[in-house]
Structure formats: C-alpha cells, structure tokens
Amino acid sequence: MRTGEVVVVGAGPAGITAAVEASRAGARVLLIDEGPAVGGQIYRQVATELRPGSGAGGNGYAADSAPLFASLAASGVEVWSDTEVWGIFPDRVLAIHRGGRSMRLQAGGLVLATGAYDRPVAFPGWTLPGVVTAGGTTALIKSQRIIPGRRVLLAGTGPLLLAAAAALVRGGAEIAGIAIAASRTAFLGLLRRPAALGKAIDVLATLKRAGVPMWNGHGIVRVEGREGVERAVVAQWDAAWRPVPGTERVIDVDTVVVGYGLMASSELAQLAGCDVTYHAGQGGWVPVTAPDRFMATSVPGVFVAGDGAGVAGAEAGKLQGELAGLGAARHAGKLTDGDAAARAKAPLRDLGKMASFRRALERMHAPEPGLFELAEDDTIVCRCEEVTAGEVRQAVGDGARLVTEVRAATRCGMGLCQGRLCIPTVAGLIERYAGTLTTSVGRLTARPPVRPLPVTALADEA
C-alpha cells in the first residue's frame, strides 16, 4: 500500500489551493482528480486535442485560473489526473481506480474537495433529448467548444444560470429567454462582493448586447416534443415557486437549460465517517466543519473544502482550501499549532467578509416546495429505474416517510447514479405530501464504489 503525507481529492479551486498550501508547509502532497486536467468545473480546461497551442486555457476565467495553475506547477505537488477515488476506509485508506486498475493509498492528512453537481429537477419533459443542466452546458462549452443547441431557453436561479447564458451567447446560440425563479432583490444581495459585482456586470452586459429577455419570478412548467425538445412552457411563479394560473407562455426552442442550484458532493466524506448536517441552500447534506478548525471534520485527519463543504463559490473555496491545506499539513506533523494559526489569520478574515454574500447565495439556492409539485403522476423521477412521481406519491400515501422506505417500495436510488438524480426530488416529494421536514426524511447511505467501477478493477482487489 502506498502512503502520502497529505492527499487532496479534487483539483478545483479549493483542492488546488489546499495542495499548494500543504506543500508550502513542507508536506509531500498528492493531488487526485477524475478529470483529464486540473481546474474542476469552474476552471475546466479545453480538451488537449482542441487547444491551438500548449498551456492551459478555455475555462473563461483566465485571470483567476492562470495564477492558480502556475502556483500548482511551481509547488512540486504530484498530480494524478483521470483517477477516481471510489472508496474510503478506516485510517484514511483510499481505494483508487487509475489506468484500469485498482490500488490502495493511505493518507496522513486527507483533504476532500469534491465540489458539487446540478440539482436535479423533475418536470414533464425533463427526460427529452435537448434538456440539459447549466453545469453540463458550461462544461460542454469550456472543454469541447460545443453549444448544446441553437435556440435555447434557460430556467432556474443563481449566478451559474446567467454564466451559462453568457457562454451560450458567446458560442453563437440564440437565447429565447431566461426564466429566473429568484427576485431582482435576491440577485442584488450577491453584488456586495466586488469580485462578484465585476463578473455580474460582464455577464449582464453580454446578455443585454444580445437582447436576451429576462423574466424574474418565472420558472419552467413543462417541455414538449416528440423525439426531442420542440417547445417549452414557462409561467410566472409565486413566492413558493408555484405557477400562477393564466400566466403560461409557450416558447419554441430546441434546447432547455435548467439550473436550480447545486448539490454538494459529500459521498466520500460520508464514506470516511464524517458527521453531516442538512442545509438546503448549501446543497443538502454537507459535512459538519468550521473555518476556525481548519475545515476539520468529525474524523481526525480528514478536512473538507469548497462546494463539497457547502456551496459557496470559487472564491470561498480557495480560502477554505488554504485552511484545509494548513490543517492537513499540521496533522501530518509539518506545522506547529502556532505556525498554522498564524497562517490561518488572513483566510479566516477574508472568509468572514464573505458572510453576507454566502447568506444571499443560500437564500437563492434553497428550493421552494412548488419545485417538487411540477412532476405529474407519469413524470419519471428515477431515470435509472424508470420510477414515476405517481409511484413515489403512492409510496408516501402508503406510509413511507424516509427516502430509504421509498427506495424499498419503488427502487428509486438503486441505479447507476446511486440516487444523485432522484433522491433530492424524492425527499422534496416526501416533505410536500407527508408534511415532514427534509431533515427528517433521511438520506441514502453512501457505499463503495461511489462511482460505477469496471469489474476488472474489483478483480484486482480480489
């Protein structure tokens, strides 16, 4: 079994910063990421075969990502790309799939910077070809220079939705409109950060030049088409995100981009045994941690940073990464308590300044109950097992009050995605139709492998 003084999982802004900071403290650091190149989602790089020359590029955030990539290159951190961590076992032992084979790695200090993914939303027509997520759209444009369609409607909330719209405009797509669930006031709460204000002005200017219609307080109702998207229906929404009768409008489009916030990818933290808690606006079940404890979890030697610790954006992720890197290096014996505390003062101060921005982001991303009422009885909720909303409602009517009870009755969450695409909706349906709180409906227990794994890799283990 290989050992590492500090191992960081996830090479987005938080993970890169954590790796660099731990290396600066004198630790030997291994940075692991499942992507082909570092950068994560927001700093995703264009595919190597599409680059006109050598070097990074294509993520649209060169001013932010270039210094980060340069600091990583100069740090001496060992980087393993195209590598999946599919399990975590006691004493910070990682099960890894790399190059078609499985191996074990024991970490002295472990930082999990696993990011987040788009919140799944089930509504009539959401399984039609041409319905894509905001995160998937930006990933496609950044890495492949491809737009998913020519005439696009966007619906959702949060800054990622507008960033996706701007990327589509720059890529040559026609934007038929943006239905934004949040109010104008909610968006203004995000502009208190100078960095956020500058990016927002750039995005809004791009959309204005393109003449893109924007409808605040609106949302998607359904998507129609035979073999793909042909039209979308949007409507004005009330404060609970329920369509207001008589306000529907039909828009002819070939693509619908949906982005109603993000879900924290906390499966590896759960596998490591970390305590978790539920925060709707931060992405659901997130590890219990705190900046003043170097982003330490309830498990000694395990630290979490970035959106996997609660969705807060790249800027907050970098600061959390600094703290987590310091904490991991200290746990590995490379820093004294005094040195670590001294180095933590600046990121702690800067994170404190972001408190109002984070609260505004949480309010914008927290789903309202009407979002889970969009699904009709014949609407697919679990795409892997083809379970409908009607079947989930029937299970709730029969007495199911936990997501595990719905799974037992319907098979929701037993497919390849392991519940990532259906359980958030199932939890919302239980809350809506059983009158319980999402915090009380539970969650699916994370189990290895957390991603689909070739049988050959498990054969290596045997």
Side-chain angles (χ1 to χ4, degrees), residues 41 64 89 99 113 196 266 285 292 302 312 368 374 382 422 430 444 450:
Q41 171 70 335
D64 298 326
F89 301 98
S266 60
W285 293 98
D292 59 2
V302 180
E368 297 294 339
L374 294 173
C382 177
C422 63
I430 297 174
L444 297 189
V450 295

Side-chain angles (χ1 to χ4, degrees), residues 78-101:
E78 185 178 0
V79 179
W80 286 3
S81 297
D82 288 316
T83 304
E84 293 180 319
V85 177
W86 60 264
I88 297 181
F89 301 98
D91 297 322
R92 299 175 301 282
V93 174
L94 279 61
I96 294 171
H97 176 227
R98 186 170 191 247
R101 303 196 64 181

Side-chain angles (χ1 to χ4, degrees), residues 14-42:
I16 292 175
T17 306
V20 170
E21 198 65 27
S23 179
R24 286 173 178 165
R28 288 184 292 105
V29 182
L30 173 62
L31 177 61
I32 299 173
D33 192 77
E34 64 184 8
V38 300
Q41 171 70 335
I42 191 168

